[in-house]
Amino acid sequence: MSYHRLVILTGAGISAESGVPTFRADDGLWMGHRVEDVATPEAFARDPAVVQDFYNQRRRQLSTVHPNAAHQALAELAARWEGDFLLVTQNVDDLHDRAHAAVPPAPGFQLIHMHGELLKACCTRTGRVCDWPGDLAAAEPSPHHPQGRLRPHIVWFGEMPLSLDRIEAALARCDLFVAIGTSGAVWPAAGFVQLARRAGARTMEINLEPTPGRRLFDEGVYGPATETVPAFVAGLNV
């Protein structure tokens, strides 16, 4: 069967094999920190130095990792996909971006970082976003407003994910939805499969192991992303 309107959601599992930490450890800590201390607006207001340092460390780490075979396979798929292709990632790394820069996508492709991007910063007064590959100081002045500061362009707990209207519109008309390397436990992304099912789309999860929402998918493929994603791409009728 051939498809024309594809939506793919990716999570931490697709970048883990590149060496990107999956952030939340088994003990509930995020790289040694409580969520409340580094991933909320309240934490930034209370102790911006700790929050900025946390994301500075993650930003520096990006230079040590590279797109893996799963990222590359999706980039190759985007280059030859003739219909609409929306790639939504929960990841704040730039590995998808680098993979697609190396293999330019077809005109129908879009990439959305729904939880923000490590290599960008946001003005606290205007909300304007700018590229920011280096460190951010505790009180980094904003170039967009004299009283503004720059914060990481990251969606923190209690904040609304980015571009939900665009994502939901694509899900409402897609004919194939694939979730890759995501637990399916975090809302609103956990509800994407149900939106796709209402559109009559075929739904598929690709993960190391079945997720709690496995019953919502028509098909599940399990194993390392660097093996399962290239195989999935190779088997698509494009």
Side-chain angles (χ1 to χ4, degrees):
M1 181 175 178
S2 61
Y3 301 95
H4 304 285
R5 296 179 298 277
L6 169 64
V7 178
I8 291 181
L9 171 69
T10 66
I14 199 169
S15 292
E17 290 179 76
S18 288
V20 177
T22 53
F23 210 20
R24 187 189 291 272
D26 292 338
D27 58 9
L29 296 180
W30 290 30
M31 294 177 67
H33 296 269
R34 296 188 315 145
V35 170
E36 297 85 354
D37 294 335
V38 294
T40 65
E42 294 77 14
F44 185 66
R46 182 174 62 247
D47 197 340
V50 167
V51 175
Q52 298 283 37
D53 181 63
F54 176 82
Y55 292 98
N56 287 342
Q57 291 182 49
R58 298 200 70 205
R59 200 176 294 114
R60 292 179 209 134
Q61 196 253 353
L62 286 184
S63 65
T64 69
V65 299
H66 304 281
N68 61 46
H71 299 102
Q72 293 161 356
L74 293 182
E76 290 163 6
L77 176 61
R80 57 190 175 92
W81 188 266
E82 295 182 356
D84 297 330
F85 181 174
L86 176 61
L87 175 57
V88 182
T89 185
Q90 297 171 287
N91 301 335
V92 296
D93 62 58
D94 67 336
L95 298 185
H96 280 304
D97 305 79
R98 282 192 253 167
H100 291 282
V103 184
F109 175 78
Q110 297 180 72
L111 171 61
I112 292 177
H113 286 265
M114 66 178 292
H115 291 163
E117 301 177 62
L118 271 176
L119 296 181
K120 293 185 177 180
C122 179
C123 174
T124 57
R125 285 298 187 99
T126 67
R128 290 183 62 181
V129 176
C130 56
D131 293 334
W132 200 274
D135 285 359
L136 284 165
E140 188 74 48
S142 170
H144 307 301
H145 193 283
Q147 279 80 51
R149 293 185 294 161
L150 288 180
R151 53 161 276 183
H153 180 48
I154 302 294
V155 175
W156 287 327
F157 285 90
E159 296 180 329
M160 185 66 67
L162 306 175
S163 301
L164 277 182
D165 288 348
R166 287 169 58 198
I167 296 168
E168 290 174 354
L171 287 165
R173 59 189 301 270
C174 72
D175 50 20
L176 176 60
F177 171 72
V178 186
I180 301 172
T182 176
S183 67
V186 178
W187 289 85
F192 288 178
V193 61
Q194 296 177 28
L195 293 176
R197 284 169 63 91
R198 286 184 204 140
R202 176 191 173 201
T203 58
M204 180 179 186
E205 76 167 5
I206 301 176
N207 213 326
L208 270 177
E209 55 190 26
T211 68
R214 166 65 182 93
R215 61 182 178 80
L216 297 173
F217 291 87
D218 298 317
E219 183 179 354
V221 176
Y222 305 104
T226 52
E227 298 174 9
T228 53
V229 176
F232 157 72
V233 169
L236 268 182
N237 182 15
V238 178

